[in-house]
Amino acid sequence: MAHTEIQNILEIRDLKVIYKTDLEVVEAVNGLDLTIGKGKTLGLVGETGAGKTTTALSILKLLPSITGRILQGEIYFDGEDILKKSEHDMQSVRGNRISMVFQDPMTSLNPVLTVGDQIAEAVQLHNPDMSKEQINERVAATLNMVGIMPSRSGDYPHQFSGGMKQRVVIAMALSCEPELLIADEPTTALDVTIQAQVLTMIRELRDRLGTSMLMITHDLGIVAQTCDDVAVMYSGIIIEAGTAEDIFLGDKHHPYTVGLFNSIPNLDIKSDRLNPITGLMPDPTNLPKGCVFAPRCNHQMEICLEARPGVFEEGTHKIRCYLFSEAAGNSKAGVDLNAE
Amino acid sequence: MNPQKVESTTVDNFKRPSQTKEIWRRFSKSKGAVIGFVLFSIIAIMLLAADFIVPYEAAIKQDFTQQLAAPSREHFFGTDGYGRDAFARLLHGGRTSLSIALLATFSSAVLGSALGAISGYFGGKVDSFIMRSLDIFMSVPDILFTMAVVYALGANFTNLLFALTLAYFTNYVRLVRSQVLNLAEQDYVEAARAGGSGSTRIILSHIIPNAVGVIIVNTTLNVAKIILYESTLSFLGLGMPPPQPEWGLMLSEAREFMRTAPWLMFFPSAAIVITAASINLMGDGLRDALDPHLKS
Amino acid sequence: MYRYVIKRLLFLIPTILGVTLIIYAVMSITPGDPGRAMLGTSALQADVDAYNAALGYNLPFPIKYFNYVKAMVIDQDFGFSYLTKQPVFDEIWPRFLETLKLAFLGVFIAASVGIPFGIYAAVKQYSLWDTVPSLVAFFMAAFPSFVLGLLFLYFFSLKLNLLPSYGIGSFEHYIMPALAISIPPAAQNMRFTKSSMLEAIRQDYVRTARAKGAAERTVVWKHALRNALLPVVTQIGLSLGVLIAGAVVAEKIFSIPGIGSLIVDRIAYKDEPVIIAGTILISICFTLVMLLVDIIYAFVDPRIRAKYSNTKG
């Protein structure tokens, strides 16, 4: 994976992040590999607690300074290792070249500043030479872009609804036309009807501005509508990755991915109940020695409990499971995971 | 996913220790809380066992041959202007102060929480009546009000308790009211109401248990505040009637002998400060244990 | 905003009436009477009765209360002291100013020491700038003002002979009383500001500001601080109540002719007019400060401002 000709806007290698408190060490990200091609959108899918937001915060180097620590790994953004950058350099990257939209619009805007001021701050930070008029113009244009009347820039966050607030947050994130947009469950906190509107808007703006995007979500529907590539995350590890076709249409899957798909209600097949994955994610303060999914896996083998599985690759499709790796023997490779 | 969430998943889903156990674990991990707990236990045991350590008699018996004696083996903390044993007065006085403080904390917590719960839960006219009255009540500075009550009713244990309760219940009304307003919007309360539970039942079995953490922390810290406040009252001559010993009174009497017998001032001062500090240590530890995210 | 201020000013009226009623009611339970207190235990009952009647002390409670309020509102007349026979207002006003001076000096010291240390401790959490001031504040919060006052008196006046031990007159006279009453609330302010600031720093909007590329300094001063200071403003207003209690004690210890010690002294004589007027004066002052606090709060927080300009409530 040479990054000499830089076709990937983001490349994360073997990232390991922990949260350390007085009482315990939480292993949030455990050797994660991730790649986002220029202009592409990667969907990062997983349950709550899988380490998705931690990954996103690591990219911006915004982990909680007291507890969060990056133990190892590299994060290449446009060919440069972000982890080697100084805090000062990072400040010119954040909000300018990489922006982030957070999950909860209700709390991610400062209640005592007008939304116009908050967008203007982002613009001004990265364009120190701009005059006040130019900044105001940019703020108005950005608000227009997300469908908010520029005349409302003097209003405070509490005067907006949840969906409108998220539009403001998105406007703020896009005000400097970043190369990479990280959207962390941007629609989870919104009403279903508003979700669709905001999502459509994000897609349109992404296409118009040519921004690469990391879409973090637990909703496979959003992934299907938005993403070129998909990475499935479990207990801080990518257990399956590939193009959207690989994941949605491919015949080989990690048992966890299969479980994820089975737990979505399917209108085409008549069934009485959903098929949730039984059990819970492993305790992040005490991860199993072997495959992190083994304790919940229907296809568990002895080896699964002993060591972490390697990556099975087939074209663009990668799976971290003994069912497909050399060690498990080829006889297992073709097992029909959907037969349950 | 942020660290707080990781922690809460950990607690809720994996180890499943009982919540009390988990709180105790965090509490006992905090050095300050443990020191406070041990210190306070020692103080409390000494005050409880005061009668066995040194008889009450020694605290009130005047002996003019032994006035202002320096600390010695016979009188650990010396004697006061009437020849009374300062150590005995400190122990027996502390017992009075601590019991008043504990009882006043309890009664103000009960009164204030009840009013706060009613105010927050029923809202509307009930709420505005209670809150407006409280506003008026609170514009009389505590010290003036307590002074007036104690003087009007006479200084004794019950009246002091009554006055302190009135001075301290206001905190709880606001605190519990805002908790209830928050909690009343939570889904589980909505669910209980939809399930046909009555108001009293909802307050008692859903709202109070969930607000109890904040109340406990505040109550603990209030014990210390009331100890300081009560000693101030007794310093001003509005505490228990003499010859009953009390820390504030001892200090007030010690003023006279500041030049000749400064130890009479030092020991009660230290007693007040150490007791209050040990309770505050526990309160802080308890707050961190109940609300772990404040630490990270 | 304007309407809100008017509304709060109007609420002063029931507040003052409520305060007079509370104090009046409490004092009316007290056994004994001013005649007995004034003329002594050996005086004839007839003389005592005549004395009480002349003061209007024996009228029924509602009438007495009504008369008092009427005189206060219409003639700004607070009556005469039972003890000194002087007009109450003349007696309490200079002492009230003295107490005010002390209390506001205390508020000023408590805020200007407590808040900056609290902010700094939160920003530099777990560094020496946090641990040392936090530890000091922790211990200082366990000292009642009168203990500090006595210890200061012992060390600085008696042992070191640096400062005058009683009275007013020069700047030096105020050093010990002001410190004695302001150190405990300063410690509380520091602890409160620190936790409020820590709370603000971990809010999502602060993370948003960081994600925008704002420097840590901007994040702290522009985004976190303003939100963190909102509850601190209220805390400072409330600490005035603590300081008034402190002032009573400091006036006693350092023999300062303030209104607090006057009220304490007059309680023993049942000098009702002085006690009531003094309490009312302090309570009005306290209410005005709380009003100021609320107005500042509304000024800083657009949510509160909106609440009062959009609705009549």
Side-chain angles (χ1 to χ4, degrees):
Chain A
M1 268 209 220
H3 53 274
T4 36
E5 74 257 48
I6 313 175
Q7 346 164 300
N8 294 332
I9 190 76
L10 188 79
E11 217 174 300
I12 301 180
R13 287 193 206 153
D14 198 21
L15 183 69
K16 202 160 166 25
V17 183
I18 57 163
Y19 293 110
K20 194 164 185 281
T21 66
D22 301 350
L23 301 177
E24 56 201 8
V25 175
V26 173
E27 296 177 81
V29 175
N30 306 294
L32 172 131
D33 296 287
L34 203 78
T35 307
I36 303 178
K38 271 198 173 148
K40 299 281 187 188
T41 296
L42 172 76
L44 185 59
V45 190
E47 304 171 46
T48 306
K52 295 170 304 204
T53 301
T54 303
T55 308
L57 291 177
S58 306
I59 297 168
L60 286 169
K61 289 225 279 184
L62 279 180
L63 289 168
S65 57
I66 290 164
T67 50
R69 208 160 304 161
I70 296 177
L71 286 190
Q72 63 177 54
E74 288 128 49
I75 299 179
Y76 291 100
F77 171 66
D78 202 19
E80 286 176 280
D81 189 352
I82 272 190
L83 298 181
K84 294 206 175 77
K85 280 183 186 273
S86 69
E87 171 61 22
H88 184 261
D89 290 342
M90 275 315 289
Q91 281 165 12
S92 59
V93 172
R94 287 179 204 137
N96 188 26
R97 303 183 64 196
I98 308 177
S99 284
M100 183 153 171
V101 173
F102 294 98
Q103 182 171 351
D104 188 356
M106 307 312 269
T107 55
S108 44
L109 291 170
N110 191 331
V112 300
L113 300 175
T114 65
V115 297
D117 283 349
Q118 296 189 54
I119 299 172
E121 186 186 16
V123 176
Q124 202 207 343
L125 275 169
H126 303 293
N127 303 282
D129 301 332
M130 270 194 180
S131 71
K132 234 185 150 84
E133 290 75 41
Q134 285 172 307
I135 291 176
N136 287 341
E137 264 171 46
R138 175 79 78 91
V139 170
T142 320
L143 280 173
N144 247 332
M145 190 170 78
V146 296
I148 293 175
M149 304 233 291
S151 60
R152 296 203 65 186
S153 70
D155 287 354
Y156 289 93
H158 72 267
Q159 291 163 295
F160 291 84
S161 67
M164 293 295 263
K165 273 188 206 166
Q166 195 62 309
R167 284 169 189 260
V168 172
V169 174
I170 291 166
M172 208 156 70
L174 294 178
S175 61
C176 294
E177 303 192 354
E179 292 147 66
L180 175 66
L181 177 68
I182 303 174
D184 184 3
E185 311 231 10
T187 57
T188 308
L190 305 176
D191 290 344
V192 180
T193 44
I194 310 292
Q195 275 188 11
Q197 284 177 18
V198 170
L199 205 62
T200 308
M201 189 193 78
I202 291 178
R203 273 207 309 270
E204 282 171 10
L205 291 175
R206 171 198 67 187
D207 295 342
R208 192 179 344 149
L209 303 173
T211 314
S212 315
M213 189 156 100
L214 175 61
M215 171 64 86
I216 296 175
T217 179
H218 59 257
D219 185 337
L220 288 167
I222 291 179
V223 176
Q225 290 171 48
T226 324
C227 303
D228 305 301
D229 300 303
V230 184
V232 182
M233 192 164 184
Y234 186 82
S235 263
I237 296 171
I238 302 294
I239 49 106
E240 180 166 352
T243 61
E245 289 77 35
D246 291 336
I247 304 296
F248 285 93
L249 305 171
D251 55 350
K252 287 179 186 146
H253 290 297
H254 191 285
Y256 176 66
T257 315
V258 176
L260 269 188
F261 275 96
N262 283 344
S263 61
I264 315 175
N266 191 333
L267 294 178
D268 303 331
I269 301 167
K270 193 170 163 21
S271 84
D272 290 337
R273 52 190 308 162
L274 294 175
N275 288 308
I277 310 171
T278 52
L280 295 163
M281 237 189 334
D283 179 356
T285 64
N286 184 20
L287 289 178
K289 188 172 70 166
C291 172
V292 284
F293 188 62
R296 295 168 81 178
C297 186
N298 291 332
H299 305 278
Q300 192 199 85
M301 298 172 287
E302 255 172 58
I303 188 164
C304 300
L305 297 173
E306 273 153 29
R308 299 260 161 97
V311 179
F312 165 84
E313 287 193 48
E314 196 176 71
T316 50
H317 198 169
K318 295 174 199 162
I319 305 174
R320 232 178 228 281
C321 179
Y322 283 115
L323 290 174
F324 308 103
S325 61
E326 309 294 315
N330 287 331
S331 58
K332 290 268 180 189
V335 77
D336 185 8
L337 292 170
N338 293 307
E340 296 200 348
Chain B
M1 186 195 74
N2 51 32
Q4 290 94 301
K5 280 204 184 130
V6 175
E7 211 166 84
S8 72
T9 2
T10 318
V11 173
D12 299 343
N13 298 346
F14 299 108
K15 292 175 208 144
R16 295 176 190 271
S18 77
Q19 214 181 344
T20 339
K21 245 189 189 162
E22 176 63 22
I23 290 166
W24 174 250
R25 187 174 74 101
R26 290 201 216 104
F27 181 81
S28 56
K29 271 258 185 177
S30 148
K31 261 180 246 147
V34 172
I35 294 173
F37 183 70
V38 170
L39 260 180
F40 183 73
S41 306
I42 294 173
I43 294 168
I45 290 170
M46 280 183 73
L47 297 183
L48 276 176
D51 283 329
F52 302 101
I53 300 171
V54 44
Y56 183 62
E57 211 18 46
I60 51 166
K61 203 185 76 196
Q62 304 187 355
D63 178 356
F64 290 99
T65 63
Q66 285 284 329
Q67 277 167 294
L68 302 179
S72 64
R73 197 173 300 176
E74 241 164 289
H75 301 289
F76 295 141
F77 293 170
T79 59
D80 71 3
Y82 299 98
R84 298 174 295 200
D85 182 56
F87 181 64
R89 288 180 71 72
L90 198 71
L91 282 192
H92 289 280
R95 191 155 74 164
T96 319
S97 305
L98 193 64
S99 17
I100 291 186
L102 289 175
L103 285 172
T105 307
F106 179 74
S107 55
S108 56
V110 171
L111 177 65
S113 305
L115 277 176
I118 292 170
S119 192
Y121 187 80
F122 291 104
K125 285 203 177 109
V126 181
D127 181 38
S128 40
F129 176 76
I130 292 178
M131 294 319 284
R132 292 297 100 169
S133 314
L134 201 69
D135 280 344
I136 293 174
F137 191 77
M138 284 175 74
S139 21
V140 187
D142 289 350
I143 185 84
L144 297 176
F145 183 73
T146 335
M147 276 171 10
V149 171
V150 170
Y151 187 73
L153 300 179
N156 62 37
F157 194 91
T158 326
N159 294 344
L160 216 49
L161 190 59
F162 178 66
L164 288 170
T165 305
L166 287 184
Y168 276 87
F169 82 97
T170 51
N171 296 337
Y172 293 96
V173 183
R174 283 167 186 272
L175 186 77
V176 173
R177 176 177 175 269
S178 69
Q179 283 284 311
V180 170
L181 285 180
N182 265 331
L183 291 168
E185 288 168 10
Q186 302 289 320
D187 292 343
Y188 60 81
V189 172
E190 203 63 32
R193 197 173 295 144
S197 301
S199 306
T200 326
R201 204 188 143 71
I202 290 175
I203 291 180
L204 286 180
S205 61
H206 294 279
I207 291 180
I208 297 273
N210 280 289
V212 95
V214 194
I215 298 176
I216 288 176
V217 171
N218 254 273
T219 306
T220 313
L221 295 171
N222 252 0
V223 176
K225 278 191 203 154
I226 296 185
I227 285 178
L228 299 185
Y229 192 68
E230 199 268 343
S231 67
T232 305
L233 282 180
S234 96
F235 176 77
L236 290 171
L238 292 161
M240 302 288 286
Q244 288 197 54
E246 247 185 299
W247 291 347
L249 181 69
M250 290 175 73
L251 277 167
S252 162
E253 289 169 350
R255 271 175 77 189
E256 235 182 288
F257 311 113
M258 195 180 267
R259 206 176 286 274
T260 46
W263 57 85
L264 284 178
M265 186 174 87
F266 294 143
F267 291 117
S269 298
I272 293 173
V273 173
I274 292 171
T275 310
S278 70
I279 296 171
N280 283 339
L281 274 175
M282 281 197 298
D284 286 2
L286 210 54
R287 184 185 48 210
D288 294 343
L290 285 167
D291 193 4
H293 67 256
L294 278 180
K295 277 199 91 182
S296 59
Chain C
M1 191 67 200
Y2 179 68
R3 193 189 271 159
Y4 174 64
V5 175
I6 299 279
K7 199 187 143 216
R8 288 303 314 260
L9 280 173
L10 284 178
F11 190 64
L12 272 180
I13 296 169
T15 304
I16 293 166
L17 286 177
V19 167
T20 39
L21 185 64
I22 291 173
I23 300 300
Y24 234 96
V26 168
M27 293 310 287
S28 68
I29 317 170
T30 326
D33 54 77
R36 190 49 79 188
M38 289 297 308
L39 303 175
T41 42
S42 58
L44 291 171
Q45 189 57 43
D47 291 343
V48 172
D49 289 344
Y51 192 97
N52 285 340
L55 287 172
Y57 182 78
N58 292 327
L59 292 169
F61 175 77
I63 298 176
K64 234 167 47 165
Y65 176 62
F66 179 78
N67 285 343
Y68 184 78
V69 173
K70 200 175 84 182
M72 184 173 81
V73 175
I74 297 174
D75 307 322
Q76 288 83 46
D77 176 14
F78 288 91
F80 289 83
S81 161
Y82 291 168
L83 185 66
T84 61
K85 312 282 192 322
Q86 300 299 309
V88 167
F89 189 80
D90 296 351
E91 201 164 0
I92 62 176
W93 187 249
R95 285 172 157 260
F96 174 67
L97 293 180
E98 196 59 47
T99 299
L100 218 57
K101 196 158 50 170
L102 193 59
F104 278 101
L105 193 60
V107 170
F108 177 74
I109 297 175
S112 54
V113 173
I115 297 177
F117 274 108
I119 295 170
Y120 216 66
V123 174
K124 305 268 169 201
Q125 202 187 6
Y126 300 133
S127 74
L128 279 182
W129 278 103
D130 171 24
T131 48
V132 175
S134 294
L135 200 68
V136 172
F138 175 80
F139 278 106
M140 286 304 142
F143 274 87
S145 290
F146 73 95
V147 169
L148 282 176
L150 289 177
L151 293 178
F152 286 165
L153 198 61
Y154 179 75
F155 287 108
F156 296 120
S157 287
L158 219 59
K159 287 279 141 184
L160 302 172
N161 216 359
L162 283 176
L163 294 164
S165 63
Y166 65 89
I168 49 173
S170 73
F171 171 70
E172 278 86 31
H173 283 98
Y174 287 99
I175 296 179
M176 287 198 295
L179 283 181
I181 67 170
S182 61
I183 285 176
Q188 277 167 23
N189 285 346
M190 188 263 169
R191 283 158 61 82
F192 192 85
T193 308
K194 180 184 158 188
S195 66
S196 179
M197 192 68 188
L198 283 177
E199 178 77 26
I201 284 176
R202 63 185 189 86
Q203 292 298 313
D204 286 354
Y205 55 78
V206 168
R207 190 172 61 177
T208 307
R210 289 207 182 98
K212 262 192 255 186
E216 199 53 32
R217 209 170 343 124
T218 318
V219 171
V220 168
W221 294 104
K222 183 172 171 185
H223 291 274
L225 187 64
R226 231 173 118 183
N227 286 285
L229 283 186
L230 282 173
V232 174
V233 172
T234 310
Q235 169 71 16
I236 300 226
L238 286 172
S239 73
L240 187 69
V242 179
L243 278 154
I244 289 170
V248 176
V249 166
E251 287 163 19
K252 277 293 229 187
I253 295 176
F254 299 101
S255 312
I256 295 167
I259 197 167
S261 56
L262 179 75
I263 295 174
V264 177
D265 293 343
R266 293 300 167 84
I267 277 182
Y269 296 99
K270 266 188 72 63
D271 196 351
E272 264 182 33
V274 169
I275 298 168
I276 295 173
T279 310
I280 291 171
L281 210 53
I282 294 179
S283 301
I284 292 176
C285 174
F286 192 59
T287 313
L288 283 175
V289 171
M290 293 319 283
L291 171 68
L292 193 68
V293 165
D294 282 357
I295 292 172
I296 293 174
Y297 206 115
F299 187 75
V300 186
D301 190 338
R303 288 163 296 185
I304 306 285
R305 201 158 57 211
K307 210 162 98 190
Y308 290 107
S309 51
N310 295 343
T311 65
K312 53 183 177 12

